[in-house]
Amino acid sequence: MTLLRDADLATAFDHAAQSYDTLVAANPGYHAHLRRSARRLGLPRPGTGLRVLDLGCGTGASTAALCAALPGAGITAVDASAGMLQRAAAKPWPANVRFVCAPAEGLAEAGVEGPFDAVFAAYLFRNVSDPDAVLSTVHGLLAPHGRLAVHEYTLSGRPAHRAVWTAVCRGLVLPVATALGDGELYRHLWRSVVDFDTVDAFADRLRVHGFDQVRALPLPGWQTGITHTVVGRRAGTTARAAR
């Protein structure tokens, strides 16, 4: 199948926004894994005075994870889907959270400017047309001590993990999504994982784009070998992150 990109993908997410939270809530560990990845940024709690960019915030699950990890930080949450962002913004948030509708490739045009102390990107990079360009943008938005955490379905490369991912999508996710009228989006989401980097390849991609201290960290449960947190630091600087 042809993957959805850019405006077509944003439109598909707009349509799926009403049922999205219900579907992800059925995924064991979904919110706990996001909170774990947010903590893996390694920034000192409560994060007072820090600026954090939540890139690809969807309906706000990643934003909530950042609020839990860094309640004192200023959080700018961005998504290309107006429908998903509307669902996110309708939830109760502290005053230090703001939402911006923009594609990851168009942050400057939307007034999203650095420097940020950290960027958190959940389920984003496999869905953009040019992940290398977005990584370059992220690198440029980070302060000299800046941290990046990517929470993503990045397969280990082992056939067993690819088989589990496909079985879950075909046996559970796709039938429900199709019944809700969102089959095209979720077929894209299944295929986007299969076609994207393995976790080791994605970690190497970060290194190429000027990140050091890159680590790929697994997540527990059925997503072991399927979902990872890949963390890195803007290279050539002294990190301000907590140790």
Side-chain angles (χ1 to χ4, degrees):
M1 64 166 286
T2 301
L3 296 178
L4 299 172
R5 293 300 184 206
D6 303 322
D8 290 337
L9 183 57
T11 298
F13 272 117
D14 288 346
H15 186 271
Q18 295 299 315
S19 60
Y20 190 81
D21 286 343
T22 301
L23 280 173
V24 300
N27 181 344
Y30 183 91
H31 294 286
H33 289 173
L34 283 169
R35 292 192 294 270
R36 181 178 295 211
S37 289
R39 292 193 299 270
R40 285 171 169 174
L41 281 166
L43 294 173
R45 185 180 170 87
T48 303
L50 300 179
R51 297 185 71 220
V52 179
L53 176 62
D54 180 15
L55 193 54
C57 67
T59 59
S62 54
T63 316
L66 287 169
C67 286
L70 299 165
I75 298 170
T76 300
V78 178
D79 202 89
S81 165
M84 299 287 274
L85 205 67
Q86 184 178 20
R87 295 282 293 180
K91 298 171 183 177
W93 300 102
N96 56 316
V97 175
R98 75 179 182 111
F99 291 94
V100 177
C101 188
E105 302 87 346
L107 299 178
E109 295 83 348
V112 177
E113 298 178 346
F116 288 95
D117 297 282
V119 175
F120 188 67
Y123 309 118
L124 172 79
F125 278 97
R126 74 182 195 282
N127 285 318
V128 297
S129 297
D130 190 345
D132 292 310
V134 175
L135 272 173
S136 294
T137 296
V138 166
H139 187 274
L141 286 171
L142 283 167
H145 47 267
R147 305 284 300 180
L148 170 64
V150 178
H151 177 99
E152 185 60 274
Y153 291 116
T154 43
L155 298 174
S156 70
R158 292 181 57 188
H161 294 144
R162 177 180 174 131
V164 169
W165 170 250
T166 294
V168 168
C169 289
R170 288 181 173 172
L172 297 173
V173 177
L174 285 173
V176 174
T178 300
L180 294 170
D182 294 312
E184 183 182 26
L185 172 63
Y186 285 87
R187 281 189 294 275
H188 158 86
L189 295 176
W190 159 62
R191 193 70 211 180
S192 68
V193 175
V194 173
D195 289 353
F196 192 56
D197 294 349
T198 63
V199 65
D200 289 342
F202 187 69
D204 287 341
R205 196 190 286 261
L206 263 65
R207 295 183 184 100
V208 167
H209 285 277
F211 292 91
D212 66 8
Q213 298 186 5
V214 176
R215 293 182 297 154
L217 305 170
L219 288 157
W222 77 268
Q223 294 188 61
T224 298
I226 295 170
T227 311
H228 296 84
T229 320
V230 182
V231 296
R233 183 193 70 167
R234 181 168 168 167
T237 61
T238 301
R240 205 167 100 191
R243 297 185 184 277

